[in-house]
Amino acid sequence: MTTQHTNRRLLSRLWAVPGFRAMSSYRREWLVKDLVAGVVLTTLLVPQGMAYAELAGLPPITGLYTTILCLLGYAVCGPSRILVLGPDSSLGPMIAATVLPLVAAGGDPDRAVALASMLALMVAAVMILASVAKLGFIADLISQPTMIGYMNGLALTILIGQLPKLLGFKVEADNLTGECVGFVQKLADGAAVPAAAAVGGGGIVLILVLQRLLPKVPAVLVMVVLAIAAAAAFDLGKHGVGLVGELPEGFPPFTIPDVRLADLPLLVAGALGIALVSLADTISNASAFAARTGQEVRGNQEMAGVGVANLAAGLFQGFPVSASGSRTAVAERAGARSQLTGVVGAALIVLMLVLAPGLFRNLPEPALAAVVITASLSLADIPGAVRLWRQRRAEFLLCLAAFAGVALLGVLEGIAIAVALSVLNVFRRAWWPYNTVLGRVPGLEGYHDVRSYPHAGQLPGLVIYRFDAPLFFANAKAFRDEIRRLADADPRPGWIVIAAEPMTDVDTTAADVLEELDEHLNAQDVHLVFAELKDPVRRKIERYGLTRTIDPRHFFPTVEAAVAAFRLRTGAEWTPLTTTGQPAEPRPDAAAPPPADEQ
């Protein structure tokens, strides 16, 4: 093999890595914008990284380690031009719910870091394997209503969990109810530290006001700087306010997490939940920002990029990460053009740890609680829940159930409930699909729902029936019962035409039900007729042997063809009906369709 051929192969492999491909197309005019955006982004990365580490029950320094490594990992393997990854407020409670029950009663921070790092490696493995298997569609397992409920429950959980830290005390509890009770009891006992409450409350107000009135100003950084200045000026540490203290100096060491075999089951469960939420966050954020930059979203590559970011974080004492909409928006507003922005941010954090590790030693912990609480407020979507209540009560109930699952059972249990509810809702719609009789409406082509157009015309002896779902084991009997009800009408119809265009599948259980149904109808001189049945479904029916009972001549390409055949056979003429089923004058101005069903 020639050297030239070897070089070509090497170049083709490097070209497959998004980071190297981006370098080859990098434009010189982007450099200054990326450098400036990296500096601006760092002002948000540092305080949020530390705050979200504490939210996950870990030392603040691990948030900086995680930020550095995930930015570098995604810059090499992530396909999005400006997406920013890092510690996330939606993952923090899930990490804590997985790690803290495994930590010894004394709360050993080294063991917590090892468990969180192993969790990041597991999330990386899940993401990379899912990318190889092209399972990006898994992000769709959580429907929007259940995601709204989950995020609202998560926001409430974060808010209640951070209130004690905001006021300068701690509450030991295993669930939201216990935290609420403990918070009220401690508050009644006078455990709140006035100085801590002033720093925390003032921090929340300052961030919210600046974000509202001066959105281009880095509100979090301004608050953090003022909090550090206040801690130094008023010696807040001596007034009962907890401070972050001196951070370890230098770059994080390469570390293989050491965990016990007994810890793995809970870590695996947590990793699956975190991977699902991280994937959903990443795909949604990537889609939103790709639309602005003219890029295409490559879901499987995004999974690989997030997987590598988690891998890098897990090997250097970090914890699981996800895409961040807020940090990506900051980078975009600052002029970011490529992943060099994230690399600059990572480099600046490394310089800070090497040259100025004491920069944040006077940062009050209530200020970090304020950062987390304001982030939790952005997770909540109360208007979305209200919209569901107004538009579709069934989906509002799904939202409420997901919210209750997070709030009452826990974060990991809540994500499991959200996924289960989403899947069950899909199954419910297929189990009890919308079905109706169709008729002809003067002035409108085709055949239409008699519930929307009660004066639609009918052919005596013919019923056109539409069943809006695949026919499978769970709904086959409901289909059978409805057809029998139509066949038992007085007068009895001669043909029941199934408008089968929505019927995308027929499984073996449904085939057996159809065979029994057709035999039952034939005994009553009623014929089951199919129109617009898709070719793959027709072939399945033939393979099942149903044409032994269902006359092959009773399959028509369109409803119009089936109706024409019936009219040719019987000479029937159209008869308009009223809502009571009696003849009436045709009404071209048919009623408008009703609102979406409340199923």
Side-chain angles (χ1 to χ4, degrees):
M1 184 178 296
T2 65
T3 303
Q4 186 177 7
H5 182 66
T6 302
N7 290 338
R8 281 201 301 266
R9 289 187 61 186
L10 179 60
L11 287 174
S12 66
R13 290 177 180 176
L14 289 177
W15 183 260
V17 178
F20 289 100
R21 192 163 59 244
M23 285 174 57
S24 67
S25 60
Y26 193 82
R27 301 178 186 175
R28 184 177 300 176
E29 60 267 24
W30 291 353
L31 181 59
V32 173
K33 294 181 179 180
D34 280 338
L35 291 176
V36 172
V39 174
V40 173
L41 181 62
T42 306
T43 65
L44 188 63
L45 294 175
V46 173
Q48 282 195 344
M50 298 170 69
Y52 296 159
E54 290 210 335
L55 177 61
L58 301 168
I61 186 63
T62 59
L64 301 184
Y65 292 165
T66 301
T67 301
I68 294 168
L69 272 304
C70 76
L71 288 174
L72 295 177
Y74 189 81
V76 174
C77 296
S80 176
R81 188 179 297 162
I82 64 169
L83 199 65
V84 178
L85 266 66
D88 191 69
S89 57
S90 63
L91 298 188
M94 299 181 73
I95 298 168
T98 305
V99 169
L100 295 186
L102 298 174
V103 178
D108 180 3
D110 292 336
R111 176 161 160 72
V113 170
L115 290 167
S117 297
M118 179 56 74
L119 193 59
L121 295 180
M122 288 183 171
V123 171
V126 171
M127 286 289 197
I128 293 172
L129 289 174
S131 173
V132 172
K134 302 187 183 303
L135 299 179
F137 66 89
I138 290 177
D140 298 330
L141 283 178
I142 309 181
S143 66
Q144 187 66 15
T146 51
M147 197 63 178
I148 290 174
Y150 172 76
M151 286 300 181
N152 285 340
L154 194 62
L156 180 63
T157 300
I158 294 172
L159 178 65
I160 298 300
Q162 292 295 307
L163 283 178
K165 186 185 296 183
L166 191 79
L167 301 181
F169 59 87
K170 293 183 178 180
V171 171
E172 300 294 335
D174 296 329
N175 52 52
L176 185 64
T177 303
E179 288 181 345
C180 289
V181 172
F183 175 75
V184 173
Q185 287 178 344
K186 286 287 187 74
L187 208 58
D189 294 340
V193 177
V199 171
I204 291 175
V205 172
L206 182 61
I207 290 174
L208 295 179
V209 169
L210 287 178
Q211 287 178 341
R212 182 67 180 270
L213 300 181
L214 300 170
K216 293 186 177 181
V217 173
V220 172
L221 177 65
V222 171
M223 187 276 292
V224 165
V225 170
L226 291 178
I228 292 174
F234 300 105
D235 201 7
L236 294 180
K238 293 184 178 179
H239 291 80
V241 178
L243 303 177
V244 169
E246 195 84 18
L247 296 177
E249 183 178 349
F251 194 77
F254 177 86
T255 307
I256 301 296
D258 182 18
V259 299
R260 302 167 187 166
L261 190 62
D263 298 335
L264 295 181
L266 183 56
L267 288 175
V268 169
L272 291 174
I274 290 170
L276 182 59
V277 172
S278 178
L279 177 59
D281 272 351
T282 301
I283 296 297
S284 61
N285 282 306
S287 300
F289 288 98
R292 302 182 192 180
T293 59
Q295 284 187 285
E296 291 183 6
V297 177
R298 297 184 289 274
N300 293 313
Q301 282 193 9
E302 286 292 355
M303 283 191 291
V306 175
V308 171
N310 277 281
L311 177 64
L315 292 175
F316 289 87
Q317 300 185 14
F319 52 86
V321 298
S322 177
S324 169
S326 61
R327 274 161 280 180
T328 304
V330 168
E332 183 190 43
R333 287 198 300 267
R337 292 294 182 270
S338 75
Q339 285 297 326
L340 181 59
T341 296
V343 174
V344 171
L348 290 176
I349 297 174
V350 171
L351 289 176
M352 185 199 76
L353 292 177
V354 172
L355 302 178
L359 189 62
F360 290 94
R361 65 175 177 271
N362 288 325
L363 175 59
E365 291 195 352
L368 292 180
V371 173
V372 174
I373 287 175
T374 53
S376 74
L377 297 178
S378 67
L379 291 178
D381 187 4
I382 305 303
V386 173
R387 176 175 54 82
L388 290 175
W389 169 260
R390 292 174 178 169
Q391 294 179 350
R392 195 176 179 94
R393 298 291 171 85
E395 294 196 347
F396 173 79
L397 292 177
L398 288 176
C399 172
L400 193 62
F403 171 83
V406 177
L408 300 179
L409 299 180
V411 176
L412 290 180
E413 293 83 353
I415 191 63
I417 288 172
V419 172
L421 287 175
S422 296
V423 173
L424 286 174
N425 190 39
V426 173
F427 187 74
R428 177 189 66 85
R429 292 180 183 181
W431 190 358
W432 297 315
Y434 187 75
N435 61 98
T436 187
V437 171
L438 305 180
R440 191 179 70 165
V441 179
L444 292 178
E445 292 185 3
Y447 299 88
H448 303 277
D449 189 342
V450 297
R451 295 174 183 168
S452 300
Y453 302 95
H455 294 174
Q458 303 287 315
L459 275 176
L462 175 73
V463 174
I464 306 172
Y465 175 70
R466 192 182 70 210
F467 189 80
D468 290 349
L471 201 58
F472 67 115
F473 66 93
N475 62 23
K477 292 183 180 179
F479 174 85
R480 177 199 64 190
D481 294 343
E482 186 62 21
I483 295 296
R484 284 186 173 183
R485 186 189 68 79
L486 294 172
D488 290 338
D490 186 19
R492 192 183 300 277
W495 279 19
I496 298 179
V497 175
I498 309 299
E501 196 273 337
M503 201 173 288
T504 56
D505 192 21
V506 175
D507 71 3
T508 55
T509 302
D512 292 340
V513 171
L514 279 178
E515 184 173 17
E516 179 267 331
L517 174 63
D518 191 60
E519 290 175 349
H520 173 80
L521 294 178
N522 288 341
Q524 298 179 327
D525 199 25
V526 178
H527 299 286
L528 197 59
V529 177
F530 289 87
E532 301 181 356
L533 194 65
K534 291 177 169 59
D535 289 342
V537 183
R538 169 72 184 272
R539 287 193 290 269
K540 287 181 181 179
I541 285 180
E542 292 173 348
R543 190 163 63 246
Y544 297 151
L546 283 180
T547 49
R548 293 193 309 268
T549 58
I550 302 176
D551 192 335
R553 294 172 299 176
H554 287 168
F555 290 90
F556 293 91
T558 64
V559 174
E560 288 81 358
V563 170
F566 180 80
R567 293 185 65 190
L568 183 63
R569 176 181 176 182
T570 64
E573 296 293 336
W574 287 102
T575 303
L577 297 179
T578 66
T579 53
T580 59
Q582 299 302 316
E585 293 296 323
R587 284 184 52 194
D589 57 335
D597 68 281
E598 294 290 343
Q599 292 184 8

